[in-house]
Amino acid sequence: FALPALRTLQRRHLVVLASLRERSVEDCVAKPVETFDDALLFGSTHLYLEQRRRVFEELRSHGVVTIDAVAEKLPIELTNAYLEMKRAGRL
């Protein structure tokens, strides 16, 4: 991600990153591993999720509010994040 752009935005704004997590990724993790191809898919999916987690962690360490949710849960997650920011006096 572009840290200089993030810092520029944060001068005047509270930055919130809402990311849609693909349902297919969750399905890959939940699927039983029965074949070698299943094992490769399972391993690569976990690697992807770990890299994604690290990016969100890095963004949070720079003051970005992050939301990572599947599409049907995004409105609830956004609402909860808004209420939490309001409660914490960040708005």
Side-chain angles (χ1 to χ4, degrees), residues 29-60:
V29 173
K31 183 182 173 199
V33 176
E34 297 173 350
T35 67
F36 182 71
D37 286 344
D38 291 343
L40 291 175
L41 182 59
F42 184 83
S44 62
T45 301
H46 275 280
L47 178 61
Y48 166 75
L49 290 171
E50 177 59 21
Q51 290 170 341
R52 188 176 173 114
R53 184 194 63 76
R54 285 185 196 157
V55 168
F56 286 125
E57 189 176 285
E58 179 72 16
L59 287 166
R60 283 191 297 275

Side-chain angles (χ1 to χ4, degrees), residues 5-15 90-91:
L6 175 63
R7 288 188 179 134
T8 300
L9 282 171
Q10 287 178 313
R11 287 185 196 136
R12 294 182 170 247
H13 304 283
L14 174 62
V15 178
R90 294 182 74 185
L91 296 176

